[in-house]
């Protein structure tokens, strides 16, 4: 059967067969290879042409000739509220940038605008081949804001971790009980492991108290969910943590019992040796956001050093206010370049290893979730392709991702988003931004 048959209504009878592409299998590339998806799982994958029985059974066949077939990607840190703040990053250090631009705009958002920002952020991630996004959710002036983003994730169909941000010290602190109550509410209302995971999202080590950190980490632990926190992004943050608690950020997390396998340490730019060692010992995850760190002039995180010590490192674009895109491929290339230049070592992060930063080491294999993307490598930026890993890591942009499948469902095909009216969404975003700037007195 062909894609045309599927569009005419015969899809759904069998699974989806992707054939003739280069498939990232468990032991390297099958080129060509095939993948067969059914009931949310990879049912078969291998080298060469698909077995005739699979071709026969398929309700839908997608050709991936000249393309690569990969597991869906992970963007391990972003802030969708900042989708409406692109282009506001220039010329200020981190803390000043937050106080003068990001926080006022965040405080002006309505739940409807948050919903729109969520949709747009999710669609941008979808275009780049991200099938699981970690949304560090900052706008917590009421349940409507978190609910708006959860609804957006349901509409777009991506898997999302929503780390509910909070601060109980400094400017506009929330009472600890209100934070815990809202987290409990979110777990009851939205937590659906594998699809929409609610996580604990303390904003940073210098705005969160020891007791609330411990209580929220324990609450998330009841659901096996992570604590996702900004750590040592800038030197200012390290200084403020030292002034408040007498300890460097990672030492402080360790001292209060909040550093373990569920802890996701975002940024980790300014670490001492002993902090790197602790992260490795405790099995914490580090989320490296190299483009954001460059745009804000924060520094270069020791990502390659952490990986060498066995730390699980993932990549995040960070919010569009400090990037300004959510193109995880751009972030990947920046991670490779920064690791090499910071260490004056061109052998660091060879492409096959670097690719694991956005796949988390997953491959296309039988039994895996049917989260699959098709990425074109036959274009002027990549051809001729000597090496598929290099073509992906060094030549690919988000716009080269053509098809995205989550849980067996095609959300984007040949670059066309199927789950919503994208042109209308873009138009709405432009109109909303005009209103927002007027309300803030910026024009
Ligand atoms: Zn962030």
């Amino acid at each position: 059967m062909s894609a045309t048959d599927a569009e005419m209504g015969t899809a759904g009878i069998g699974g989806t067969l992707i054939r003739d592409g280069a498939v990232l299998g468990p032991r390297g590339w099958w080129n060509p290879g095939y993948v067969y998806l059914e009931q949310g799982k990879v049912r078969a994958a291998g080298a060469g042409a698909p077995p005739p029985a699979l071709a026969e059974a398929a309700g839908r066949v997608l050709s991936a000739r000249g393309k690569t077939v990969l597991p869906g990607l992970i963007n391990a840190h972003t802030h969708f509220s900042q989708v409406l703040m692109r282009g506001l990053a220039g010329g200020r250090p981190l803390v000043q940038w937050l106080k003068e631009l990001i926080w006022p705009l965040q405080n002006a958002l309505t739940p409807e605008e948050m919903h729109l920002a969520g949709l747009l952020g999710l669609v941008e991630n979808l275009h780049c081949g991200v099938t699981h996004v970690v949304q560090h959710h900052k706008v917590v002036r009421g349940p409507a804001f978190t609910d708006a983003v959860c609804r957006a994730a349901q509409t777009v169909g991506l898997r999302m971790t929503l780390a509910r941000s909070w601060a109980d010290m400094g400017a506009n602190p929330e009472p600890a009980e209100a934070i815990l109550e809202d987290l409990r509410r979110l777990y009851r209302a939205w937590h659906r492991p594998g699809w929409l995971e609610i996580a604990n999202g303390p904003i940073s080590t210098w705005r969160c108290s020891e007791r609330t950190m411990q209580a929220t980490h324990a609450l998330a632990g009841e659901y096996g969910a992570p604590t996702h926190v900004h750590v040592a992004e800038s030197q200012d943050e390290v200084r403020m943590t030292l002034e408040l608690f007498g300890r460097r950020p990672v030492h402080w997390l360790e001292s209060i019992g909040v550093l373990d396998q569920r802890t996701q340490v975002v940024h980790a730019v300014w670490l001492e040796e002993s902090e790197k060692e602790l992260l490795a010992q405790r099995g914490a995850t580090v989320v490296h956001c190299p483009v954001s760190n460059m745009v804000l002039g924060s520094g270069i995180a020791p990502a390659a050093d952490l990986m060498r010590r066995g730390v699980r490192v993932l990549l995040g674009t960070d919010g569009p206010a400090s990037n300004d895109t959510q193109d995880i491929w751009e972030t990947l290339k920046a991670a490779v370049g920064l690791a090499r230049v910071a260490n004056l070592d061109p052998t660091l992060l060879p492409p096959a290893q670097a690719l694991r930063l956005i796949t988390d080491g997953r491959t296309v294999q039988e039994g895996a979730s049917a989260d699959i993307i098709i990425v074109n490598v036959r274009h002027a930026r990549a051809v001729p392709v000597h090496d598929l890993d290099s073509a992906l890591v060094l030549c690919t942009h988000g716009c080269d991702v053509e098809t995205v499948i989550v849980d067996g469902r095609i959300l984007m095909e040949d670059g066309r988003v199927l789950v919503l009216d994208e042109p209308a969404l873009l138009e709405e975003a432009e109109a909303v931004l005009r209103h927002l700037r007027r309300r803030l007195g910026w024009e």
Side-chain angles (χ1 to χ4, degrees), residues 77 79 136 138 230 266-267 318-319:
H77 181 71
H79 309 283
H136 197 182
K138 287 189 173 189
H230 292 118
V266 182
H267 293 302
D318 210 348

Side-chain angles (χ1 to χ4, degrees), residues 223-239:
Y223 298 88
T227 286
H228 181 89
V229 54
H230 292 118
V231 174
E233 177 175 359
S234 68
Q235 287 172 305
D236 278 352
E237 290 195 301
V238 175
R239 181 181 50 76

Side-chain angles (χ1 to χ4, degrees), residues 395-408:
C395 306
T396 296
H397 292 179
C399 58
D400 302 323
V401 176
E402 294 190 345
T403 296
V404 176
I405 300 173
V406 175
D407 198 43

Side-chain angles (χ1 to χ4, degrees), residues 290-344:
V291 175
S292 172
N293 297 155
M294 289 194 289
V295 168
L296 291 178
S298 298
I300 303 175
D305 188 1
L306 290 166
M307 289 167 78
R308 193 165 49 233
R309 292 167 196 257
V311 176
R312 177 186 183 222
V313 177
L314 296 175
L315 294 186
T317 56
D318 210 348
S322 65
N323 184 305
D324 291 33
T325 79
Q326 313 237 315
D327 189 339
I328 197 72
W329 297 96
E330 181 183 58
T331 292
L332 176 60
K333 186 170 179 176
V336 172
L338 276 186
R340 292 178 182 181
V341 76
N343 295 282
L344 301 179

Side-chain angles (χ1 to χ4, degrees), residues 91-102 236:
R92 291 173 177 81
L94 176 76
V95 175
Q96 191 187 347
W97 167 78
L98 287 169
K99 289 182 177 170
E100 292 177 5
L101 290 171
I102 300 309
D236 278 352

